[in-house]
Amino acid sequence: MKKILYILTAAIFMLTSCEKPKSVAEQLAGDWHCSSSAIDAEIYATFNEDQTFVLYQQIGEGAFRVYNGTYEIKTNVNAREESVASQHTLTGTYNDGKTWGAEYAFAVTEDVMTMTAGGITETYERVSGGIPEDVLASCVTVVKSEEITEVPFL
């Protein structure tokens, strides 16, 4: 009887303690703030699980520009396990049909994401509570990227 009780307890413990790991898309989903960038800009990004994104970008003293589009995650099946950053790449297209300026190797944890292109690594931190209200209040939505002189960061 004790043996059956032990087996039953162990089975219940194993079933309740096993959580399916989050997919890369689930880990990426959310709001991010660029904390380390090669350019002088304030950047926020929202990645949604439906593979859409919203990029909020402020260069200098101007208003935040808002860019919308879709993204794609590609997995490099030949990447070594130790090289997590090279296992996945991130590409995207803005709503006006223009593709991002680069394809990014990226790695994401609960609270930090790194994106690397052309030997430059940008670091993003997860934003709890969403994009700040002052950023949202000062946004100018860009419909076509030719309408402005600034180039989207991604």
Side-chain angles (χ1 to χ4, degrees), residues 65 67 145-152:
R65 307 283 188 205
Y67 302 90
S145 49
E146 293 94 22
E147 294 175 354
I148 60 167
T149 57
E150 297 169 355
V151 176

Short mmCIF file of all heavy atoms in Angstrom, two decimals, residues 65 67 145-152:
data_model
loop_
_atom_site.label_atom_id
_atom_site.label_comp_id
_atom_site.label_asym_id
_atom_site.label_seq_id
_atom_site.Cartn_x
_atom_site.Cartn_y
_atom_site.Cartn_z
N ARG A 65 8.26 58.76 -33.26
CA ARG A 65 7.66 58.26 -34.51
C ARG A 65 7.22 56.83 -34.26
O ARG A 65 7.91 56.07 -33.59
CB ARG A 65 8.67 58.28 -35.66
CG ARG A 65 9.36 59.59 -35.89
CD ARG A 65 8.47 60.56 -36.59
NE ARG A 65 9.23 61.75 -36.96
CZ ARG A 65 8.70 62.92 -37.15
NH1 ARG A 65 7.40 63.08 -37.02
NH2 ARG A 65 9.44 63.94 -37.47
N TYR A 67 6.13 53.24 -35.97
CA TYR A 67 6.18 52.39 -37.16
C TYR A 67 5.51 51.06 -36.82
O TYR A 67 5.77 50.48 -35.77
CB TYR A 67 7.63 52.13 -37.58
CG TYR A 67 8.42 53.38 -37.88
CD1 TYR A 67 9.13 54.03 -36.87
CD2 TYR A 67 8.46 53.91 -39.16
CE1 TYR A 67 9.85 55.18 -37.13
CE2 TYR A 67 9.18 55.06 -39.44
CZ TYR A 67 9.88 55.69 -38.41
OH TYR A 67 10.60 56.83 -38.68
N SER A 145 7.49 55.46 -44.89
CA SER A 145 8.78 55.90 -44.37
C SER A 145 9.41 57.00 -45.22
O SER A 145 10.29 57.70 -44.76
CB SER A 145 9.73 54.72 -44.20
OG SER A 145 9.77 53.93 -45.35
N GLU A 146 8.94 57.18 -46.46
CA GLU A 146 9.48 58.26 -47.30
C GLU A 146 9.00 59.62 -46.82
O GLU A 146 9.52 60.65 -47.22
CB GLU A 146 9.04 58.09 -48.77
CG GLU A 146 9.63 56.90 -49.46
CD GLU A 146 8.71 55.69 -49.39
OE1 GLU A 146 7.49 55.86 -49.19
OE2 GLU A 146 9.22 54.58 -49.52
N GLU A 147 7.96 59.66 -45.95
CA GLU A 147 7.40 60.92 -45.49
C GLU A 147 8.31 61.66 -44.54
O GLU A 147 8.12 62.84 -44.28
CB GLU A 147 6.06 60.68 -44.79
CG GLU A 147 4.97 60.14 -45.70
CD GLU A 147 3.70 59.79 -44.94
OE1 GLU A 147 3.69 59.85 -43.71
OE2 GLU A 147 2.72 59.49 -45.60
N ILE A 148 9.32 61.00 -43.98
CA ILE A 148 10.19 61.64 -43.01
C ILE A 148 11.65 61.42 -43.39
O ILE A 148 11.97 60.56 -44.19
CB ILE A 148 9.94 61.10 -41.59
CG1 ILE A 148 10.20 59.59 -41.54
CG2 ILE A 148 8.54 61.41 -41.12
CD1 ILE A 148 10.29 59.05 -40.16
N THR A 149 12.52 62.22 -42.79
CA THR A 149 13.95 62.09 -43.09
C THR A 149 14.63 61.08 -42.18
O THR A 149 15.70 60.60 -42.50
CB THR A 149 14.65 63.46 -42.96
OG1 THR A 149 14.43 63.96 -41.64
CG2 THR A 149 14.12 64.44 -44.00
N GLU A 150 14.02 60.76 -41.03
CA GLU A 150 14.60 59.79 -40.11
C GLU A 150 14.40 58.38 -40.65
O GLU A 150 13.41 58.09 -41.28
CB GLU A 150 13.94 59.91 -38.74
CG GLU A 150 14.14 61.24 -38.08
CD GLU A 150 13.26 61.41 -36.85
OE1 GLU A 150 12.43 60.52 -36.57
OE2 GLU A 150 13.39 62.44 -36.21
N VAL A 151 15.36 57.54 -40.36
CA VAL A 151 15.27 56.15 -40.79
C VAL A 151 14.86 55.31 -39.59
O VAL A 151 15.39 55.48 -38.49
CB VAL A 151 16.64 55.66 -41.31
CG1 VAL A 151 16.61 54.19 -41.67
CG2 VAL A 151 17.08 56.51 -42.51
N PRO A 152 13.89 54.40 -39.75
CA PRO A 152 13.53 53.54 -38.62
C PRO A 152 14.73 52.76 -38.13
O PRO A 152 15.59 52.36 -38.92
CB PRO A 152 12.47 52.60 -39.21
CG PRO A 152 12.02 53.23 -40.46
CD PRO A 152 13.13 54.09 -40.94
#
